[in-house]
Amino acid sequence: MSPCVLDAWGEGGDVLSRRGSLSARKWFKRGVALAEQGELTEARDAYLRAAESGSVNAQYNLGLVYVDLGDLDNAIAWFRRAAAAGDAGAMHSLALHLYGGDRKAVAEALHWYAEAALRGHAPSQYNLALHHHLAGQLSLAERYYEEASKRGHLDAQVSLAGLWHGRGLDREAEEMLRRAVAKEHPGALDFMGKLAANRGDTERAAGFYARSHAAGFSGAAVNLGMLYQRQQREAEAEEWFREAADAGNAGGMYALGRLIIDLDRSDEALVWFRRAAELGDASAQQAVRVLTAREEE
């Protein structure tokens, strides 16, 4: 569940309003403590008391608890209530849970992402950019990637660099990537490796790929293996392809199979092709068909 943020409780209003606020604050704090202890059912009940008294933060946190409890209908209902009161985090959470629905739900999700984006909510700006990117609306995607990037959203910085790279703006792309590279972002490190490889700086590329893999991106091991394969360093290529394959990366499995079949180890290659094929890799599926047809001849 997302971190809880305390409400700002005002002192205005009549005596009953102040008593209500004090009661809501008590129940909100109790909900926070219970949620931190993993007592979700009790936290739900405490947040509900505060939410019904008008605490927007409690309404948002109540939605988060309902998500953790698997009750998405109630989660959406409370996110919607907090979103209507202007909470950007609730707008984002509401949009997240609406986006995978039908056309009407997606339209509403985009509305709430846009509302949260206007309030400077970087994750909403990023998700809005992704939507426009996939829709081919690159100018809008770039606009929202830039807004999220300015607020330190690392994935947005990498995606923005990708757009710039696609337009041939490699210097600008690399400058943008440096911010995420400084924080060991795996995607940024892998991207920097590709840019270095494109310039022929294979040593620098290998260093970035290795760092990306260490940061958790198994695809970087595939890229490093391919770099070594092009240099005819098969033993090192096999080592990195196997790293990716053992991590469950279908591309690594296929690349490993391709490498070792050329080393006359077709039986082992077929094992890796089959594993990649089961994960949906189209090239591996074709390789399995070709090799099994040869065995039947």
Side-chain angles (χ1 to χ4, degrees):
M1 194 176 73
S2 300
C4 303
V5 182
L6 292 179
D7 269 326
W9 298 91
E11 295 299 328
D14 57 25
V15 174
L16 290 177
S17 297
R18 290 198 297 273
R19 286 177 180 173
S21 294
L22 290 172
S23 176
R25 180 170 60 183
K26 178 189 72 173
W27 286 110
F28 179 80
K29 289 183 176 180
R30 180 169 176 76
V32 171
L34 289 166
E36 289 175 347
Q37 295 166 14
E39 303 290 341
L40 296 183
T41 302
E42 292 80 0
R44 175 201 63 195
D45 295 340
Y47 281 141
L48 185 59
R49 297 285 293 270
E52 290 176 338
S53 294
S55 167
V56 176
N57 280 347
Q59 292 164 4
Y60 174 43
N61 285 8
L62 180 56
L64 295 174
V65 168
Y66 273 124
V67 169
D68 288 343
L69 292 172
D71 187 345
L72 294 184
D73 288 340
N74 269 315
I76 288 172
W78 284 103
F79 286 146
R80 183 172 277 115
R81 186 165 169 178
D87 188 284
M91 294 173 187
H92 181 76
S93 294
L94 176 57
L96 276 176
H97 288 91
L98 291 172
Y99 191 81
D102 58 22
R103 183 177 299 180
K104 183 178 179 181
V106 170
E108 185 183 358
L110 293 175
H111 162 75
W112 288 116
Y113 276 143
E115 287 294 317
L118 285 173
R119 289 163 173 78
H121 193 269
S124 286
Q125 292 166 343
Y126 175 66
N127 284 6
L128 203 53
L130 283 178
H131 171 82
H132 290 304
H133 198 163
L134 292 172
Q137 300 166 327
L138 298 187
S139 60
L140 280 172
E142 183 171 359
R143 168 190 161 191
Y144 285 111
Y145 282 143
E146 285 183 339
E147 290 184 6
S149 294
K150 290 174 183 176
R151 289 172 173 80
H153 196 289
L154 300 183
D155 289 340
Q157 292 170 5
V158 176
S159 296
L160 181 57
L163 280 182
W164 288 346
H165 172 64
R167 300 213 307 264
L169 303 173
D170 283 0
R171 181 180 300 175
E172 292 83 353
E174 191 164 346
E175 183 61 34
M176 176 61 68
L177 287 171
R178 285 198 182 99
R179 307 177 194 178
V181 163
K183 297 185 179 179
E184 294 297 303
H185 186 283
L189 290 164
D190 182 68
F191 201 156
M192 287 287 273
K194 291 175 183 174
L195 291 175
N198 289 343
R199 293 195 301 269
D201 191 346
T202 56
E203 183 176 351
R204 192 160 184 256
F208 279 123
Y209 287 144
R211 285 170 63 188
S212 177
H213 175 259
F217 180 48
S218 62
V222 182
N223 291 333
L224 184 52
M226 293 176 68
L227 184 71
Y228 287 139
Q229 190 174 20
R230 287 192 293 271
Q231 297 174 335
Q232 298 183 330
R233 296 161 63 177
E234 282 82 6
E236 291 163 287
E238 180 176 348
E239 176 185 348
W240 285 102
F241 288 150
R242 197 173 294 277
E243 282 278 350
D246 288 342
N249 185 293
M253 296 172 190
Y254 175 71
L256 178 59
R258 281 291 304 271
L259 176 68
I260 62 180
I261 201 170
D262 292 336
L263 300 175
D264 295 324
R265 291 154 59 188
S266 57
D267 289 344
E268 183 185 355
L270 182 56
V271 171
W272 286 111
F273 285 146
R274 281 178 171 152
R275 288 184 59 183
E278 290 171 358
L279 294 174
D281 188 285
S283 297
Q285 291 167 354
Q286 177 63 19
V288 170
R289 286 192 290 270
V290 171
L291 290 177
T292 52
R294 287 179 184 172
E295 290 179 350
E296 293 169 0
E297 291 178 352

